[in-house]
Coordinates of all heavy atoms in Angstrom, one line a residue:
M49 N 148.0 70.9 27.8 CA 149.3 71.7 27.7 C 150.3 71.0 28.5 O 150.2 70.7 29.7 CB 149.0 73.1 28.3 CG 150.3 73.9 28.5 SD 149.9 75.6 28.9 CE 150.3 75.6 30.6
S50 N 151.5 70.7 27.8 CA 152.6 70.1 28.5 C 153.5 71.1 29.2 O 153.5 72.3 28.8 CB 153.4 69.2 27.5 OG 154.2 70.1 26.7
R51 N 154.2 70.7 30.2 CA 155.0 71.6 30.9 C 156.3 70.8 31.3 O 156.3 69.6 31.5 CB 154.4 72.1 32.2 CG 153.2 72.9 32.0 CD 152.6 73.4 33.2 NE 152.0 72.4 34.0 CZ 151.4 72.5 35.2 NH1 151.2 73.7 35.6 NH2 150.9 71.5 35.9
C52 N 157.4 71.5 31.4 CA 158.7 71.0 31.8 C 159.2 71.7 33.0 O 159.0 73.0 33.1 CB 159.7 71.0 30.7 SG 159.2 69.9 29.3
L53 N 160.0 71.1 33.9 CA 160.5 71.8 35.0 C 161.9 71.2 35.4 O 162.2 70.1 35.1 CB 159.6 71.8 36.2 CG 159.2 70.6 36.9 CD1 160.2 70.1 37.9 CD2 157.8 70.9 37.6
T54 N 162.6 72.0 36.1 CA 163.9 71.6 36.7 C 163.8 71.9 38.2 O 163.1 72.9 38.6 CB 165.0 72.4 36.1 OG1 165.1 72.2 34.7 CG2 166.4 72.0 36.6
I55 N 164.3 71.1 39.0 CA 164.3 71.3 40.4 C 165.7 71.4 41.0 O 166.6 70.7 40.5 CB 163.7 70.1 41.1 CG1 162.2 69.9 40.6 CG2 163.6 70.3 42.7 CD1 161.6 68.5 40.8
Q56 N 165.9 72.3 41.9 CA 167.2 72.5 42.5 C 167.0 72.6 44.1 O 166.2 73.4 44.5 CB 168.0 73.7 41.9 CG 169.3 74.0 42.6 CD 170.1 75.0 41.8 OE1 170.7 74.7 40.9 NE2 170.0 76.3 42.3
R57 N 167.8 71.9 44.8 CA 167.9 72.1 46.3 C 169.0 73.0 46.6 O 170.1 72.8 46.2 CB 167.9 70.7 46.9 CG 167.8 70.8 48.5 CD 167.8 69.5 49.1 NE 167.6 69.9 50.5 CZ 167.2 69.1 51.5 NH1 166.8 67.9 51.1 NH2 167.1 69.4 52.7
T58 N 168.7 73.9 47.6 CA 169.7 74.8 48.1 C 169.6 74.9 49.6 O 168.5 75.0 50.2 CB 169.5 76.2 47.5 OG1 169.4 76.1 46.1 CG2 170.6 77.2 47.9
L59 N 170.7 74.8 50.3 CA 170.8 75.0 51.7 C 171.4 76.4 52.0 O 172.5 76.7 51.5 CB 171.7 73.9 52.3 CG 171.1 72.5 52.2 CD1 172.1 71.4 52.7 CD2 169.7 72.3 52.9
V60 N 170.7 77.1 52.9 CA 171.2 78.4 53.2 C 171.4 78.6 54.7 O 170.4 78.2 55.4 CB 170.2 79.5 52.6 CG1 170.6 80.9 53.0 CG2 170.0 79.3 51.1
T61 N 172.5 79.1 55.1 CA 172.7 79.4 56.5 C 172.0 80.6 57.0 O 171.8 81.6 56.1 CB 174.2 79.5 56.8 OG1 174.8 80.6 56.1 CG2 175.0 78.2 56.5
P62 N 171.7 80.8 58.2 CA 171.0 82.0 58.7 C 171.6 83.3 58.3 O 171.0 84.2 57.9 CB 170.9 81.8 60.2 CG 170.8 80.4 60.3 CD 171.8 79.8 59.3
P63 N 173.0 83.4 58.4 CA 173.6 84.7 58.0 C 173.4 85.1 56.5 O 173.6 86.3 56.1 CB 175.1 84.6 58.3 CG 175.1 83.4 59.2 CD 174.0 82.5 59.0
D64 N 173.2 84.0 55.7 CA 173.1 84.2 54.2 C 171.7 84.4 53.7 O 171.5 84.6 52.5 CB 173.7 83.0 53.5 CG 175.2 83.0 53.8 OD1 175.9 84.0 53.9 OD2 175.7 81.8 53.8
R65 N 170.6 84.4 54.5 CA 169.3 84.4 54.1 C 168.9 85.7 53.4 O 168.3 85.7 52.3 CB 168.3 84.3 55.3 CG 168.1 82.9 55.8 CD 167.1 82.8 56.9 NE 165.8 82.8 56.4 CZ 165.1 81.8 56.0 NH1 165.6 80.6 56.1 NH2 163.9 81.9 55.6
A66 N 169.4 86.9 53.8 CA 169.0 88.1 53.1 C 169.6 88.2 51.7 O 168.9 88.5 50.8 CB 169.5 89.3 54.0
K67 N 170.9 87.8 51.6 CA 171.5 87.7 50.3 C 170.8 86.7 49.4 O 170.6 87.0 48.2 CB 173.0 87.4 50.4 CG 173.8 87.6 49.3 CD 175.2 87.2 49.6 CE 176.1 88.2 48.9 NZ 177.5 88.0 49.2
F68 N 170.4 85.5 49.9 CA 169.8 84.5 49.2 C 168.4 85.1 48.7 O 168.0 84.8 47.5 CB 169.6 83.3 50.0 CG 168.9 82.1 49.3 CD1 169.6 81.5 48.2 CD2 167.7 81.7 49.7 CE1 169.0 80.5 47.6 CE2 167.1 80.6 49.0 CZ 167.7 80.0 48.0
A69 N 167.7 85.8 49.5 CA 166.4 86.3 49.1 C 166.6 87.3 47.9 O 165.7 87.3 47.1 CB 165.8 87.0 50.3
E70 N 167.6 88.1 47.9 CA 167.9 89.0 46.8 C 168.1 88.2 45.5 O 167.7 88.5 44.4 CB 169.1 89.9 47.1 CG 168.8 90.9 48.2 CD 170.0 91.6 48.6 OE1 171.1 91.5 48.0 OE2 170.0 92.4 49.7
R71 N 168.9 87.1 45.6 CA 169.2 86.3 44.5 C 167.9 85.6 43.9 O 167.8 85.6 42.7 CB 170.2 85.2 44.8 CG 171.6 85.6 45.0 CD 172.6 84.6 45.5 NE 172.4 83.3 44.8 CZ 172.7 82.2 45.4 NH1 173.1 82.0 46.6 NH2 172.5 81.1 44.6
L72 N 167.1 85.2 44.8 CA 165.8 84.7 44.4 C 164.9 85.6 43.6 O 164.3 85.3 42.6 CB 165.0 84.1 45.6 CG 165.6 82.9 46.3 CD1 164.7 82.6 47.5 CD2 165.7 81.7 45.4
Q73 N 164.9 86.9 44.1 CA 164.2 87.9 43.4 C 164.7 88.1 41.9 O 164.0 88.2 41.0 CB 164.2 89.2 44.2 CG 163.5 90.4 43.5 CD 162.0 90.1 43.5 OE1 161.4 89.5 44.4 NE2 161.3 90.6 42.5
R74 N 166.1 88.2 41.9 CA 166.7 88.3 40.5 C 166.4 87.1 39.6 O 166.1 87.3 38.5 CB 168.1 88.5 40.6 CG 168.6 89.9 41.2 CD 170.0 90.2 41.1 NE 170.8 89.2 41.7 CZ 171.4 89.3 43.0 NH1 171.0 90.3 43.7 NH2 172.1 88.3 43.5
K75 N 166.4 85.9 40.2 CA 166.1 84.7 39.4 C 164.6 84.7 38.9 O 164.4 84.5 37.7 CB 166.3 83.4 40.2 CG 167.7 83.0 40.4 CD 167.7 81.7 41.2 CE 169.1 81.2 41.4 NZ 169.1 80.0 42.2
R76 N 163.7 85.1 39.8 CA 162.3 85.2 39.4 C 162.1 86.2 38.2 O 161.4 85.8 37.3 CB 161.4 85.6 40.6 CG 160.0 85.6 40.2 CD 159.1 85.8 41.4 NE 159.3 87.2 41.9 CZ 158.7 87.6 43.0 NH1 157.9 86.9 43.6 NH2 159.0 88.8 43.4
E77 N 162.7 87.3 38.4 CA 162.6 88.3 37.3 C 163.2 87.8 36.0 O 162.6 88.0 34.9 CB 163.3 89.7 37.7 CG 162.5 90.3 38.8 CD 163.3 91.4 39.5 OE1 164.5 91.7 39.1 OE2 162.8 92.0 40.5
Y78 N 164.4 87.2 36.1 CA 165.1 86.7 34.9 C 164.2 85.6 34.2 O 164.0 85.7 33.0 CB 166.4 86.1 35.2 CG 167.0 85.3 34.0 CD1 167.5 85.9 32.9 CD2 166.8 83.9 34.1 CE1 167.9 85.2 31.8 CE2 167.3 83.1 33.0 CZ 167.8 83.8 31.9 OH 168.3 83.0 30.8
Y79 N 163.8 84.7 35.0 CA 163.0 83.5 34.3 C 161.7 84.0 33.8 O 161.2 83.5 32.8 CB 162.9 82.4 35.3 CG 164.2 81.6 35.3 CD1 165.1 81.7 36.3 CD2 164.4 80.6 34.3 CE1 166.4 81.1 36.3 CE2 165.6 79.9 34.3 CZ 166.6 80.1 35.3 OH 167.8 79.4 35.2
A80 N 161.1 85.0 34.4 CA 159.8 85.6 33.8 C 160.1 86.2 32.5 O 159.3 86.0 31.5 CB 159.2 86.6 34.8
R81 N 161.2 86.9 32.4 CA 161.5 87.5 31.1 C 161.9 86.4 30.1 O 161.7 86.6 28.8 CB 162.7 88.4 31.2 CG 162.4 89.7 31.9 CD 163.5 90.8 31.8 NE 164.9 90.2 32.2 CZ 165.4 90.2 33.4 NH1 164.6 90.8 34.4 NH2 166.6 89.7 33.7
A82 N 162.3 85.2 30.5 CA 162.7 84.2 29.6 C 161.5 83.2 29.3 O 161.6 82.2 28.6 CB 163.8 83.3 30.2
G83 N 160.3 83.6 29.8 CA 159.1 82.9 29.5 C 158.9 81.7 30.3 O 158.2 80.7 29.9
C84 N 159.5 81.7 31.5 CA 159.4 80.6 32.5 C 158.8 81.1 33.8 O 158.7 82.3 34.0 CB 160.8 80.1 32.8 SG 161.7 79.5 31.3
R85 N 158.4 80.2 34.6 CA 157.9 80.5 36.0 C 159.0 79.9 37.0 O 159.7 79.0 36.7 CB 156.6 79.8 36.2 CG 155.5 80.5 35.3 CD 154.2 80.0 35.5 NE 153.8 80.5 36.9 CZ 152.6 80.1 37.5 NH1 151.8 79.3 36.9 NH2 152.3 80.6 38.6
F86 N 159.0 80.6 38.1 CA 160.0 80.2 39.2 C 159.3 80.3 40.5 O 158.7 81.2 40.8 CB 161.2 81.2 39.1 CG 162.2 81.0 40.1 CD1 163.1 79.9 40.1 CD2 162.4 81.9 41.2 CE1 164.0 79.8 41.1 CE2 163.3 81.7 42.1 CZ 164.2 80.7 42.1
W87 N 159.4 79.1 41.2 CA 158.9 79.1 42.5 C 160.0 78.6 43.5 O 160.9 77.9 43.2 CB 157.8 78.0 42.7 CG 156.6 78.3 41.9 CD1 155.5 79.1 42.2 CD2 156.2 77.7 40.7 NE1 154.6 79.1 41.3 CE2 154.9 78.3 40.3 CE3 156.8 76.8 39.8 CZ2 154.3 77.9 39.1 CZ3 156.1 76.5 38.7 CH2 154.9 77.1 38.4
V88 N 159.8 79.0 44.8 CA 160.7 78.6 45.9 C 159.9 78.1 47.0 O 159.0 78.8 47.5 CB 161.7 79.7 46.3 CG1 162.6 79.3 47.3 CG2 162.4 80.2 45.0
F89 N 160.3 77.0 47.7 CA 159.6 76.4 48.8 C 160.7 76.2 49.9 O 161.8 75.7 49.5 CB 158.9 75.1 48.5 CG 157.7 75.3 47.6 CD1 157.9 75.4 46.2 CD2 156.4 75.4 48.2 CE1 156.7 75.6 45.4 CE2 155.3 75.6 47.3 CZ 155.5 75.7 46.0
E90 N 160.4 76.5 51.1 CA 161.3 76.2 52.2 C 160.7 75.0 53.0 O 159.5 75.0 53.3 CB 161.5 77.4 53.1 CG 162.5 77.2 54.2 CD 162.8 78.5 55.0 OE1 162.0 79.4 54.8 OE2 163.8 78.5 55.7
E91 N 161.6 74.1 53.4 CA 161.2 72.9 54.2 C 160.7 73.4 55.6 O 161.4 74.1 56.3 CB 162.3 71.9 54.3 CG 161.8 70.7 54.9 CD 162.9 69.6 54.9 OE1 163.8 69.6 54.0 OE2 162.8 68.7 55.8
T92 N 159.5 73.1 55.9 CA 159.0 73.5 57.2 C 159.8 73.0 58.4 O 160.0 73.8 59.3 CB 157.5 73.0 57.3 OG1 156.7 73.4 56.2 CG2 156.8 73.4 58.6
G93 N 160.2 71.8 58.4 CA 160.9 71.3 59.5 C 162.4 71.5 59.5 O 163.2 71.2 60.4
L94 N 162.9 72.2 58.5 CA 164.3 72.4 58.3 C 164.6 73.8 57.7 O 164.8 74.0 56.5 CB 165.0 71.3 57.4 CG 166.5 71.4 57.3 CD1 167.2 71.4 58.7 CD2 167.0 70.3 56.4
P95 N 164.5 74.9 58.5 CA 164.7 76.2 58.0 C 166.0 76.3 57.2 O 167.0 75.8 57.7 CB 164.6 77.0 59.2 CG 163.9 76.3 60.2 CD 164.2 74.9 59.9
G96 N 166.0 76.9 56.1 CA 167.2 77.1 55.3 C 167.4 76.1 54.2 O 168.2 76.1 53.3
A97 N 166.5 75.1 54.2 CA 166.5 74.1 53.1 C 165.4 74.4 52.1 O 164.2 74.4 52.4 CB 166.2 72.6 53.7
F98 N 165.8 74.8 50.9 CA 165.0 75.4 49.9 C 164.9 74.5 48.6 O 165.9 73.8 48.3 CB 165.4 76.8 49.4 CG 165.3 77.8 50.5 CD1 166.3 78.0 51.3 CD2 164.1 78.6 50.7 CE1 166.3 79.0 52.3 CE2 164.0 79.5 51.6 CZ 165.1 79.7 52.5
L99 N 163.7 74.4 48.1 CA 163.6 73.7 46.7 C 163.2 74.9 45.7 O 162.2 75.7 46.0 CB 162.5 72.7 46.7 CG 162.8 71.4 47.3 CD1 161.6 70.5 47.3 CD2 164.0 70.7 46.6
E100 N 163.9 75.0 44.7 CA 163.7 75.9 43.6 C 163.1 75.2 42.4 O 163.7 74.2 42.0 CB 164.9 76.7 43.2 CG 165.5 77.4 44.4 CD 166.9 78.0 44.0 OE1 166.9 78.8 42.9 OE2 167.9 77.7 44.7
F101 N 162.0 75.6 41.8 CA 161.3 75.0 40.7 C 161.4 76.0 39.5 O 160.9 77.2 39.7 CB 159.9 74.7 41.0 CG 159.7 73.6 42.1 CD1 159.7 73.9 43.4 CD2 159.7 72.3 41.7 CE1 159.5 73.0 44.4 CE2 159.5 71.3 42.6 CZ 159.5 71.6 44.0
F102 N 161.9 75.6 38.4 CA 161.9 76.4 37.2 C 161.0 75.7 36.2 O 161.2 74.5 35.8 CB 163.4 76.4 36.6 CG 164.4 76.8 37.6 CD1 164.9 75.8 38.6 CD2 164.9 78.0 37.6 CE1 165.9 76.2 39.5 CE2 165.9 78.4 38.5 CZ 166.4 77.5 39.4
E103 N 160.0 76.4 35.7 CA 159.0 75.7 34.8 C 158.9 76.5 33.5 O 158.9 77.7 33.5 CB 157.7 75.7 35.4 CG 156.6 75.0 34.6 CD 155.2 75.3 35.0 OE1 155.0 75.8 36.1 OE2 154.3 75.0 34.2
A104 N 158.7 75.7 32.4 CA 158.5 76.4 31.1 C 157.5 75.5 30.4 O 157.2 74.3 30.7 CB 159.8 76.4 30.3
P105 N 156.9 76.0 29.2 CA 156.0 75.2 28.5 C 156.6 74.1 27.7 O 155.9 73.2 27.4 CB 155.4 76.3 27.6 CG 156.3 77.4 27.5 CD 157.1 77.4 28.8
D106 N 157.9 74.1 27.5 CA 158.6 73.1 26.8 C 160.0 73.0 27.2 O 160.6 73.9 27.8 CB 158.5 73.2 25.3 CG 159.0 74.6 24.8 OD1 160.2 74.8 24.8 OD2 158.1 75.4 24.4
A107 N 160.7 71.9 26.9 CA 162.1 71.7 27.3 C 163.0 72.7 26.6 O 164.0 73.1 27.2 CB 162.5 70.2 27.0
D108 N 162.8 73.0 25.4 CA 163.6 74.0 24.7 C 163.7 75.3 25.3 O 164.7 75.9 25.5 CB 163.3 74.1 23.2 CG 163.6 72.9 22.3 OD1 164.4 72.1 22.8 OD2 162.9 72.8 21.3
T109 N 162.5 75.9 25.7 CA 162.4 77.1 26.4 C 163.2 77.1 27.7 O 164.0 78.0 28.0 CB 161.0 77.5 26.7 OG1 160.3 77.6 25.4 CG2 160.9 78.8 27.4
L110 N 163.0 76.0 28.5 CA 163.6 75.9 29.7 C 165.2 75.7 29.6 O 166.0 76.4 30.3 CB 163.1 74.7 30.5 CG 163.6 74.5 32.0 CD1 163.3 75.7 32.8 CD2 162.9 73.3 32.5
S111 N 165.6 74.9 28.6 CA 167.1 74.8 28.3 C 167.8 76.1 27.9 O 168.8 76.4 28.4 CB 167.3 73.7 27.2 OG 166.9 72.5 27.7
R112 N 167.0 76.9 27.1 CA 167.6 78.1 26.6 C 167.7 79.1 27.8 O 168.7 79.9 28.0 CB 166.8 78.8 25.5 CG 167.0 78.1 24.2 CD 166.4 79.0 23.0 NE 165.0 79.3 23.2 CZ 164.0 78.4 22.8 NH1 164.2 77.3 22.3 NH2 162.7 78.7 23.0
A113 N 166.7 79.1 28.6 CA 166.7 80.0 29.8 C 167.8 79.7 30.8 O 168.5 80.5 31.2 CB 165.4 79.9 30.5
H114 N 168.0 78.4 31.0 CA 169.1 77.9 31.9 C 170.5 78.3 31.3 O 171.4 78.8 31.9 CB 169.1 76.5 32.2 CG 168.0 76.0 33.1 ND1 167.5 76.8 34.1 CD2 167.3 74.9 33.1 CE1 166.6 76.1 34.8 NE2 166.4 75.0 34.2
A115 N 170.6 78.1 30.0 CA 171.9 78.4 29.3 C 172.2 79.8 29.4 O 173.5 80.2 29.4 CB 171.8 77.9 27.8
A116 N 171.3 80.8 29.4 CA 171.6 82.2 29.3 C 171.4 82.8 30.8 O 171.7 84.0 30.9 CB 170.6 82.9 28.4
A117 N 171.1 82.0 31.7 CA 170.9 82.5 33.1 C 172.2 83.1 33.7 O 173.3 82.6 33.5 CB 170.4 81.4 34.1
P118 N 172.0 84.2 34.4 CA 173.2 84.8 35.1 C 173.8 83.9 36.2 O 175.0 84.0 36.5 CB 172.6 86.1 35.7 CG 171.2 86.1 35.6 CD 170.9 85.0 34.6
E119 N 173.0 83.1 36.8 CA 173.5 82.1 37.7 C 173.2 80.7 37.2 O 172.1 80.4 36.9 CB 172.7 82.2 39.0 CG 173.1 83.4 39.9 CD 172.5 83.3 41.3 OE1 172.5 82.3 41.9 OE2 172.1 84.4 41.7
R120 N 174.3 79.9 37.3 CA 174.1 78.5 36.8 C 173.3 77.7 37.8 O 173.4 78.0 39.0 CB 175.5 77.8 36.7 CG 176.2 78.3 35.5 CD 177.5 77.5 35.4 NE 177.5 76.2 35.9 CZ 177.5 75.0 35.2 NH1 177.6 75.2 33.9 NH2 177.5 73.9 35.7
I121 N 172.5 76.8 37.4 CA 171.9 75.8 38.3 C 172.7 74.6 38.2 O 173.5 74.3 37.3 CB 170.4 75.6 37.9 CG1 170.2 74.8 36.6 CG2 169.6 76.9 38.0 CD1 168.9 74.3 36.5
L122 N 172.6 73.7 39.2 CA 173.4 72.6 39.4 C 173.4 71.6 38.2 O 174.4 71.0 37.8 CB 173.2 71.9 40.7 CG 173.5 72.8 41.9 CD1 173.1 72.0 43.2 CD2 174.9 73.2 42.0
D123 N 172.2 71.2 37.7 CA 172.0 70.2 36.7 C 171.0 70.6 35.7 O 169.9 70.1 35.8 CB 171.8 68.8 37.4 CG 172.0 67.7 36.3 OD1 172.3 68.0 35.1 OD2 171.9 66.5 36.8
P124 N 171.3 71.6 34.8 CA 170.3 72.1 33.9 C 169.7 71.0 32.9 O 168.7 71.2 32.3 CB 170.9 73.2 33.2 CG 172.4 72.9 33.3 CD 172.6 72.2 34.5
R125 N 170.4 69.9 32.7 CA 170.0 68.9 31.8 C 169.0 67.9 32.4 O 168.4 67.2 31.6 CB 171.2 68.1 31.2 CG 172.1 69.0 30.4 CD 173.3 68.3 30.0 NE 174.1 68.2 31.2 CZ 175.2 67.4 31.3 NH1 175.7 66.8 30.3 NH2 175.9 67.4 32.4
R126 N 168.8 68.0 33.7 CA 167.8 67.2 34.3 C 166.5 67.8 34.3 O 166.1 68.6 35.2 CB 168.2 66.8 35.8 CG 167.3 65.8 36.4 CD 167.8 65.3 37.7 NE 169.0 64.4 37.3 CZ 169.6 63.7 38.3 NH1 169.1 63.6 39.5 NH2 170.6 62.9 37.9
I127 N 165.7 67.6 33.3 CA 164.4 68.3 33.0 C 163.4 67.2 33.1 O 163.5 66.1 32.6 CB 164.4 68.9 31.6 CG1 165.4 70.1 31.5 CG2 163.0 69.4 31.3 CD1 165.5 70.7 30.2
Y128 N 162.3 67.6 33.9 CA 161.2 66.7 34.1 C 160.0 67.2 33.2 O 159.8 68.4 33.1 CB 160.7 66.6 35.5 CG 161.8 66.0 36.5 CD1 162.8 66.9 36.9 CD2 161.8 64.7 36.8 CE1 163.8 66.4 37.7 CE2 162.8 64.2 37.6 CZ 163.8 65.1 38.1 OH 164.8 64.6 38.9
H129 N 159.3 66.3 32.6 CA 158.1 66.7 31.8 C 156.9 66.2 32.5 O 156.9 65.2 33.2 CB 158.2 66.2 30.3 CG 158.1 64.8 30.2 ND1 159.2 64.0 30.3 CD2 157.0 63.9 30.0 CE1 158.8 62.7 30.1 NE2 157.5 62.7 30.0
E130 N 155.8 67.0 32.4 CA 154.5 66.6 33.0 C 154.0 65.4 32.3 O 154.0 65.2 31.1 CB 153.5 67.8 32.8 CG 152.2 67.5 33.5 CD 151.3 68.7 33.5 OE1 151.5 69.6 32.6 OE2 150.4 68.7 34.3
V131 N 153.4 64.5 33.2 CA 152.8 63.2 32.7 C 151.3 63.5 32.6 O 150.7 63.9 33.7 CB 153.2 62.1 33.6 CG1 152.5 60.8 33.2 CG2 154.7 61.8 33.6
E132 N 150.7 63.2 31.5 CA 149.3 63.4 31.4 C 148.6 62.1 32.0 O 148.9 61.1 31.6 CB 148.9 63.5 29.9 CG 149.4 64.7 29.2 CD 148.9 66.0 29.8 OE1 147.6 66.0 30.2 OE2 149.6 67.0 29.8
L133 N 147.7 62.4 32.9 CA 147.0 61.3 33.6 C 145.7 61.0 32.9 O 145.0 62.0 32.5 CB 146.8 61.6 35.0 CG 148.1 61.8 35.9 CD1 147.8 62.2 37.2 CD2 149.0 60.6 35.8
P134 N 145.3 59.8 32.7 CA 144.0 59.5 32.0 C 142.8 59.9 32.8 O 142.9 60.1 34.0 CB 144.1 57.9 31.9 CG 145.1 57.4 32.8 CD 146.0 58.6 33.2

């Protein structure tokens, strides 16, 4: 099964963490409805530095989800596809 993903880095200041957490919840719900998965990781050594991963089974699904998303991501055309290893 092939997979495609987009990655976005976000920096959040301490006063904005609660609002950011709400935005992440809305994103997760939206992307689930669009047939995608959404993960967020925070850098251990740099609190407030987040990586957001948007994954879909194919590039078309991911592109459509980004195009209709309530929040734009920085570079929706930069899509990575999974490399099958021998």
Side-chain angles (χ1 to χ4, degrees):
M49 169 168 106
S50 71
R51 297 182 292 184
C52 292
L53 64 83
T54 303
I55 304 165
Q56 176 168 280
R57 183 173 180 158
T58 305
L59 297 174
V60 179
T61 61
D64 295 326
R65 283 184 78 90
K67 189 179 224 180
F68 182 67
E70 292 172 9
R71 286 177 43 214
L72 293 175
Q73 180 67 31
R74 287 192 302 269
K75 281 183 184 181
R76 183 175 62 185
E77 292 166 359
Y78 165 77
Y79 280 98
R81 288 191 308 272
C84 301
R85 296 185 67 186
F86 176 71
W87 294 280
V88 180
F89 292 81
E90 184 173 17
E91 188 172 334
T92 302
L94 184 59
F98 293 91
L99 284 177
E100 300 174 54
F101 295 89
F102 308 80
E103 181 197 348
D106 55 71
D108 289 337
T109 300
L110 189 55
S111 292
R112 283 193 307 273
H114 286 328
E119 283 190 41
R120 284 182 34 105
I121 67 164
L122 297 177
D123 194 355
R125 292 174 291 171
R126 186 170 287 193
I127 295 176
Y128 298 84
H129 66 274
E130 183 176 18
V131 176
E132 296 294 327
L133 300 175

